[in-house]
Amino acid sequence: MKSEPDTFSIDDLKKKGVAGWDGVRNYQARNNLRTMQKGDQCFFYHSSTKIPAIVGLMEVVREAYPDSSADKPGWVQVDVKFIKAFSTPLSLEDIKGMSALKSMVLVKSSRLSVQPIKPEEWTFLLKKLDK
DNA sequence: GCCAACGTTGGC
DNA sequence: GCCAACGTTGGC
């Protein structure tokens, strides 16, 4: 899940503990939000910043429900809980250099703000990040 | 700040 | 339903 740190950063999530992931206005991203289940974990990615990178880990604590920030119905948000901020974030540059991550959506379709991750990619990333 | 890639809108 | 014009995202 991507966010511009100027708008909402991993530190902001850490402070809040639990936050609503609202503001998604893209159908594909919305569909991905809808598939997320309580207990699912996801990565927090900082986009549009000096060093775009995976910076943290979080967990879905509430499944998709109407996004109150939307002026039209149909958009949804989920609630996520802070789990951790990685001491060493994994930059997009690094990700692009790893052959195991070659087919990541992040590399292939960088604009999608809520992306699926394959199990093998997830395992690989967690091993790299969570030391 | 630039620009490529992508998504959305609206005329026909 | 096509496609040109326009808007947005996000890496660099």
Side-chain angles (χ1 to χ4, degrees):
Chain A
M1 302 179 85
K2 303 196 296 186
S3 176
E4 297 185 24
D6 287 348
T7 307
F8 188 73
S9 71
I10 188 69
D11 287 335
D12 295 328
L13 180 62
K14 186 177 186 176
K15 266 177 233 154
K16 288 188 80 172
V18 172
W21 201 275
D22 60 8
V24 170
R25 296 293 181 272
N26 171 282
Y27 291 109
Q28 215 180 326
R30 185 200 63 185
N31 292 343
N32 290 333
L33 280 180
R34 285 203 165 130
T35 67
M36 300 177 79
Q37 299 192 307
K38 198 172 173 182
D40 283 352
Q41 293 193 337
C42 33
F43 291 121
F44 194 127
Y45 178 85
H46 279 172
S47 66
S48 296
T49 185
K50 276 223 160 140
I51 305 172
I54 295 174
V55 294
L57 186 66
M58 52 198 178
E59 181 183 323
V60 176
V61 292
R62 184 175 173 190
E63 293 172 15
Y65 62 99
D67 181 346
S68 53
S69 75
D71 48 3
K72 284 180 190 164
W75 300 111
V76 298
Q77 65 180 65
V78 298
D79 287 354
V80 291
K81 183 179 74 178
F82 175 85
I83 295 181
K84 63 161 53 183
F86 297 118
S87 51
T88 312
L90 188 65
S91 70
L92 179 61
E93 191 184 1
D94 290 341
I95 290 169
K96 284 182 168 171
M98 294 171 182
S99 59
L101 304 176
K102 231 182 215 152
S103 61
M104 269 192 79
V105 179
L106 187 66
V107 178
K108 296 276 173 191
S109 175
S110 59
R111 286 186 54 179
L112 187 59
S113 65
V114 181
Q115 311 188 345
I117 298 187
K118 296 180 198 71
E120 61 270 26
E121 292 165 349
W122 179 268
T123 308
F124 182 89
L125 284 165
L126 250 198
K127 204 190 287 178
K128 282 273 168 205
L129 283 158
D130 195 19
K131 286 170 198 155

